[in-house]
Amino acid sequence: MASLREVAERAGVSTAAASRALRDRPGVSRETRSRVRQAARELGYQPDLRARSLRTSRTHNIGLVVPDVMNPFFSEVARAVGDVAGQREYSLLLGNSDGLRNKEEEFVNLLLQKKVDGLIVFAATSASQHLERARARGLPIVLIDRKVPGLDIIRADNEKGGTLATSHLLDLGHTRIGLITGRLDLATRRDRYNGYRYALIRAGITPDPTLVREGSVRSDHGYGAALDLLNLPAPPTAIFATTDTIAMGVLLALEERSVPVPEEMAVVGYDNTYLTVICRPRLTSVAQPKQQMGRWAATFLIDWIEQGRADGDEPVEVVLDPQLVVRESTMPGVRALQGRDLPLSGVGRSGS
């Protein structure tokens, strides 16, 4: 097996530069990085992770815990985390919590037994004492999307996203707007609900609790809740589904009831996953910066593992802007405009 020294000689650089290039670290030009990687491929170079672990007392394993690996939002973020982990020569251990605190705690404990160097978690609840205990023991932990007091987090502004979705529907003339959401005891969903209420109140409309349906984030909840809203004496003319998976069920219910979208019912989803472009009509959705969230979380965690942090540092909270992507489920004929999605980042901002 080729050594790092041989790779460096083939590429015409120092071993230190070759090491930085292969680990995707700063201080190496793009041309040098490319030349080193080409030399490594030609020589079949593989880093000796076991020796490196002995030298650094690190396993070069990080854990990622998501609520639902089948949900495209979480899987797309996980892909971005995995991309960065691979580039930095870390293995990624993935766990599925089903959104349950006890299952999340069991998996976190298992990862701790395997001596992971750090964790990235979509917390099942804000009352996650097991995460606080792990952090108190010195384990680097970065949260995505869901806050736990005292822990670092990278998230999108969900209240602003809820306002974007609702303001778009209001701008189209809708005044009776239904909301179908997951459990409101989770901060992300509550923030989207608050954004919905904020947009209505700002437009002079009193929020109607009879137009709100709370449950799971699965498509079957969207389906049942949409049918329930359609059966109201005065049904809504638009529905804001707080995830794309919920919106898929909404569209199915509308199709079965022969309700034309968007002519008689406009629909907005949330997350802007691949589901939005494989359904018909294609779904208007609030886009979270999924790639950015995953890549930043992984980079921040691995930098923390390798470079450390000062004791007593305040928790870091990075808040990213969502963006509304308009498609045919709210605006008929929009597909004909340049034949692509239309991101409307300035529509209906809450100002928060």
Side-chain angles (χ1 to χ4, degrees), residues 49 52 59-63 85-86 88-93 116:
L49 298 180
R52 187 173 63 183
T59 63
H60 285 82
N61 292 327
I62 59 174
R88 301 285 291 270
E89 297 182 3
Y90 281 74
S91 297
L92 182 66
L93 305 180
V116 293

Side-chain angles (χ1 to χ4, degrees), residues 42 69 81 90 114 132 149 170 198 200 203 209 252 291 324 347:
E42 291 172 354
V69 73
V81 171
Y90 281 74
K114 293 186 176 296
E132 296 170 30
L170 289 165
Y198 173 86
L200 291 173
L252 177 60
Q291 285 283 325
L324 183 69
V347 177

Side-chain angles (χ1 to χ4, degrees), residues 101-130:
R101 182 188 179 281
N102 61 338
K103 192 169 180 180
E104 176 185 281
E105 183 172 3
E106 289 173 3
F107 195 77
V108 166
N109 289 336
L110 176 63
L111 290 171
L112 293 177
Q113 291 172 22
K114 293 186 176 296
K115 300 188 183 304
V116 293
D117 295 326
L119 289 175
I120 297 174
V121 183
F122 288 85
T125 171
S126 60
S128 297
Q129 290 83 0
H130 55 287

Side-chain angles (χ1 to χ4, degrees), residues 166-177 205 237-238 266 330:
T166 310
S167 296
H168 173 59
L169 295 170
L170 289 165
D171 289 344
L172 294 174
H174 299 282
T175 56
R176 286 187 61 76
I177 301 172
I205 298 171
T237 61
T330 56

Side-chain angles (χ1 to χ4, degrees), residues 55-295:
R55 289 195 306 270
T56 63
S57 299
R58 295 196 296 263
T59 63
H60 285 82
N61 292 327
I62 59 174
L64 172 63
V65 185
V66 301
D68 183 2
V69 73
M70 295 296 291
N71 184 308
F73 168 68
F74 300 120
S75 60
E76 289 180 39
V77 175
R79 172 62 185 270
V81 171
D83 287 346
V84 172
Q87 291 165 5
R88 301 285 291 270
E89 297 182 3
Y90 281 74
S91 297
L92 182 66
L93 305 180
L94 177 64
N96 188 80
S97 71
D98 289 328
L100 301 174
R101 182 188 179 281
N102 61 338
K103 192 169 180 180
E104 176 185 281
E105 183 172 3
E106 289 173 3
F107 195 77
V108 166
N109 289 336
L110 176 63
L111 290 171
L112 293 177
Q113 291 172 22
K114 293 186 176 296
K115 300 188 183 304
V116 293
D117 295 326
L119 289 175
I120 297 174
V121 183
F122 288 85
T125 171
S126 60
S128 297
Q129 290 83 0
H130 55 287
L131 295 177
E132 296 170 30
R133 288 194 299 268
R135 178 68 199 97
R137 289 166 53 185
L139 184 73
I141 299 176
V142 177
L143 306 179
I144 300 180
D145 195 45
R146 302 171 177 191
K147 295 179 71 172
V148 173
L151 298 183
D152 300 320
I153 182 169
I154 295 175
R155 66 179 182 88
D157 188 335
N158 284 287
E159 184 168 346
K160 183 176 289 186
T163 302
L164 280 171
T166 310
S167 296
H168 173 59
L169 295 170
L170 289 165
D171 289 344
L172 294 174
H174 299 282
T175 56
R176 286 187 61 76
I177 301 172
L179 177 79
I180 304 178
T181 179
R183 297 187 341 258
L184 290 175
D185 60 344
L186 199 64
T188 51
R189 296 160 196 167
R190 189 167 59 250
D191 287 348
R192 293 171 198 179
Y193 169 69
N194 288 339
Y196 160 83
R197 286 177 52 84
Y198 173 86
L200 291 173
I201 293 169
R202 187 175 63 179
I205 298 171
T206 301
D208 184 349
T210 67
L211 295 179
V212 177
R213 296 295 182 273
E214 177 184 359
S216 77
V217 295
R218 297 170 62 92
S219 59
D220 55 356
H221 169 55
Y223 174 82
L227 291 178
D228 198 29
L229 290 173
L230 289 172
N231 288 332
L232 290 174
T237 61
I239 292 175
F240 170 30
T242 60
T243 69
D244 290 343
T245 50
I246 291 174
M248 294 302 103
V250 172
L251 291 176
L252 177 60
L254 295 174
E255 181 183 19
E256 289 189 0
R257 287 290 186 90
S258 299
V259 177
V261 178
E263 291 79 8
E264 292 185 18
M265 183 74 74
V267 181
V268 177
Y270 206 106
D271 291 332
N272 198 42
T273 62
Y274 75 89
L275 296 174
T276 61
V277 294
I278 63 173
C279 61
R280 292 295 180 270
R282 296 188 307 164
L283 180 67
T284 293
S285 185
V286 177
Q288 298 205 70
K290 300 178 286 297
Q291 285 283 325
Q292 195 174 1
M293 292 165 77
R295 295 188 68 86

